[in-house]
């Protein structure tokens, strides 16, 4: 069955870096877009980045310049490298599968979601 599993979250100091991974099974990454979202307590789910199956990438304006999305289809994994982390980056980060999505940051364009990984930025 379709599964997405996030990993790589944790506690990091401001200015630090993390690399999140989204490992998928039950489908081929060759044909699907993968989006990263985050949700902080009391806030709406927010689009972070997207890696499309055709090679295009998208980034949130709020995080552009600090994050890089990449994929290794052979390893069934999409990565999100996050640098210069700030307190306000604290959230649960989710990856999700989309197919021919329109607006990448609309969460309802995606059909399967992972369980999320917690990222906490704290001194």
């Amino acid at each position: 069955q379709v599964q997405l599993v996030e990993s790589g979250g944790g506690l990091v100091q401001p200015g630090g870096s993390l690399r999140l991974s989204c490992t998928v099974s039950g489908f081929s990454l060759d044909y699907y877009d993968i989006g990263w979202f985050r949700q902080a307590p009391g806030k709406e789910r927010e689009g972070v980045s997207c890696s499309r199956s055709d090679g295009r990438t998208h980034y949130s304006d709020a995080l552009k310049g600090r994050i890089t999305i990449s994929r290794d289809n052979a390893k069934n994994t999409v990565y999100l490298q996050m640098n210069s982390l700030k307190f306000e980056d604290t959230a649960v980060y989710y990856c999700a599968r989309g197919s021919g999505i329109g607006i990448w940051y609309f969460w309802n364009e995606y059909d399967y979601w992972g369980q999320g990984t917690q990222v906490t930025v704290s001194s």
Side-chain angles (χ1 to χ4, degrees), residues 34-90:
I34 298 293
W36 281 97
F37 290 76
R38 67 183 183 182
Q39 189 162 21
K43 293 193 175 181
E44 302 259 326
R45 197 176 320 184
E46 173 189 16
V48 173
S49 184
C50 174
S51 169
R52 293 194 186 256
S53 59
D54 64 6
R56 289 179 292 158
T57 57
H58 306 282
Y59 296 100
S60 159
D61 286 343
L63 292 114
K64 194 175 291 184
R66 299 194 291 122
I67 59 173
T68 305
I69 193 169
S70 61
R71 61 165 64 196
D72 185 337
N73 287 3
K75 293 185 178 180
N76 297 318
T77 302
V78 176
Y79 303 99
L80 183 70
Q81 178 69 42
M82 303 192 296
N83 301 321
S84 302
L85 285 163
K86 305 176 181 180
F87 292 119
E88 53 264 40
D89 294 321
T90 295

Side-chain angles (χ1 to χ4, degrees), residues 33 50 52 56 58 97-105 109-110:
D33 308 324
C50 174
R52 293 194 186 256
R56 289 179 292 158
H58 306 282
R97 187 188 81 164
S99 177
I101 59 174
I103 299 177
W104 70 269
Y105 50 83
E109 296 263 7
Y110 297 81

